[in-house]
Amino acid sequence: MEIVCPAGTPASLRAAVTAGAHTIYCGFADETNARNFPGLNFDRSEMHEGIAFAHARGAKVLVAINTFPRAGDEALWHRAVADAESCGADAVILADLGLLDHAARHHPGLRRHLSVQAAASNADALNFYADTFGVKRVVLPRVLSVPEIAAINAETDVETEVFVYGGLCVMAEGRCSLSSYATGRSPNMNGVCSPASHVEYHDEGGVLDARLGGYTIHRVGKDQPAPYPTLCKGCFSAGDKTGHLFEDPVSLNAEQLIPQLQKAGVTALKIEGRQRSRSYVAQVVRNFRAAVDALDAGLPMPEGMLARLSEGQAMTTGAYKKTWR
């Protein structure tokens, strides 16, 4: 299976390629991609150079243009698609229906992948995007079990790509709307989730309050780990219960499910983390490449490779095992 790895900077791209990534995904330094943070992403010359570096070493590069264009300002997104093609991208990752249509009509030779932000979670949806816009691959949302993924693959010829490591962001079901409500900046439109400019920490008598846009998201004791205050991983009270009702503040790690995902017909394994350091990217890539190579060779996969890199040094298989409350 293909390993698809994140790169938030040119240095991370080079590190991922050197570590053995089959494919890199990255984005331009503007709001056309869903990781639009200061200090991250690529200008046009960096993208061109990065793609050339990857191609010279046998790796591919996908450009994420996966936010939703603002009304009246579609030209920014149209330029991003054109520039991705001129830079030599192997594919673009799109979510918006209008942008998919634009790419299919004006850039028919540019391979099109469907972003997880489109939340296509059944075979009818995948086949619609393939038939209508020529989509070749769909990134499945992180709400499906392995049997559900297998059922989708049995009813479509579209390639499927699934997340196997990193953040558990679902990019659907209202959570991005929550972040937008709290901060005024939308992950789906501006590419910024829980921006650092809206994060505050306050020590209240030895208890640390973490706030986003003025809303208290976490309250932890002196010796407790304090995750970054994103709304989807916040601690909430509902009825007589208090806890992480949406998502636990831990990392997805589906490394031991790789054989099952292969049997389910998955084409590509995606690692999340364009905001991570190049050393983190290189270590995760090396470990997943070792796992995939061992599987291909009929050897046992290494275990417990990535515990030290996970958020809070805790991990979950998330929806793959349907353990959510």
Side-chain angles (χ1 to χ4, degrees):
M1 285 181 289
E2 183 180 329
I3 302 174
V4 182
C5 308
T9 63
S12 291
L13 182 149
R14 294 190 294 270
V17 171
T18 303
H22 299 118
T23 302
I24 313 299
Y25 69 98
C26 50
F28 291 120
D30 56 37
E31 57 194 292
T32 62
N33 88 81
R35 288 293 180 270
N36 180 28
F37 289 90
L40 289 183
N41 303 309
F42 293 65
D43 63 29
R44 268 50 177 179
S45 63
E46 289 171 335
M47 185 68 76
H48 188 275
E49 292 169 3
I51 291 173
F53 179 90
H55 286 175
R57 290 154 183 82
K60 295 182 291 186
V61 177
L62 317 177
V63 177
I65 309 173
N66 57 342
T67 51
F68 295 85
R70 288 190 310 276
D73 204 14
E74 299 91 343
L76 176 64
W77 280 260
H78 294 174
R79 284 197 303 273
V81 174
D83 290 345
E85 184 173 44
S86 64
C87 286
D90 295 279
V92 286
I93 308 171
L94 309 174
D96 181 73
L97 286 167
L99 195 58
L100 281 160
D101 179 66
H102 172 86
R105 287 188 291 110
H106 295 279
H107 306 275
L110 180 60
R111 182 177 165 100
R112 294 171 291 284
H113 292 185
L114 187 69
S115 170
V116 67
Q117 288 220 60
S121 54
N122 59 72
D124 285 346
L126 271 65
N127 291 331
F128 164 78
Y129 283 105
D131 295 342
T132 309
F133 305 115
V135 166
K136 300 298 184 184
R137 179 183 297 179
V138 172
V139 184
L140 296 178
R142 281 160 278 198
V143 295
L144 298 169
S145 67
V146 176
E148 288 169 336
I149 293 170
I152 289 172
N153 283 325
E155 298 180 27
T156 184
D157 293 327
V158 182
E159 296 175 2
T160 53
E161 180 173 310
V162 302
F163 284 91
V164 291
Y165 193 82
L168 264 173
C169 174
V170 178
M171 305 297 276
E173 300 179 16
R175 300 176 193 193
C176 290
S177 296
L178 286 173
S179 178
S180 177
Y181 178 83
T183 68
R185 301 198 67 193
S186 166
N188 303 99
M189 301 288 284
N190 308 113
V192 181
C193 171
S194 304
S197 57
H198 291 69
V199 173
E200 296 179 345
Y201 294 94
H202 297 272
D203 189 339
E204 304 284 349
V207 175
L208 184 67
D209 279 3
R211 301 175 188 173
L212 178 67
Y215 296 91
T216 300
I217 307 301
H218 298 289
R219 181 170 289 142
V220 297
K222 182 178 180 182
D223 298 322
Q224 294 178 293
Y228 188 82
T230 58
L231 272 160
C232 58
K233 296 183 179 181
C235 192
F236 298 94
S237 295
D240 59 351
K241 295 181 179 180
T242 298
H244 299 284
L245 301 181
F246 291 129
E247 295 174 13
D248 292 325
V250 298
S251 287
L252 170 68
N253 185 2
E255 59 180 313
Q256 291 306 309
L257 296 178
I258 291 175
Q260 297 176 42
L261 292 169
Q262 184 185 54
K263 291 179 181 177
V266 168
T267 297
L269 307 175
K270 187 164 192 170
I271 299 166
E272 188 274 340
R274 282 193 278 160
Q275 295 153 263
R276 303 282 191 165
S277 70
R278 60 183 177 181
S279 60
Y280 168 95
V281 169
Q283 190 166 347
V284 174
V285 169
R286 278 194 297 268
N287 282 293
F288 272 96
R289 181 61 187 264
V292 170
D293 288 348
L295 182 64
D296 287 344
L299 300 173
M301 290 200 315
E303 296 184 11
M305 305 178 292
L306 299 163
R308 290 184 293 108
L309 297 177
S310 61
E311 185 175 350
Q313 296 194 0
M315 296 175 291
T316 178
T317 52
Y320 286 124
K321 295 291 189 180
K322 290 294 188 190
T323 57
W324 289 356
R325 289 178 289 280

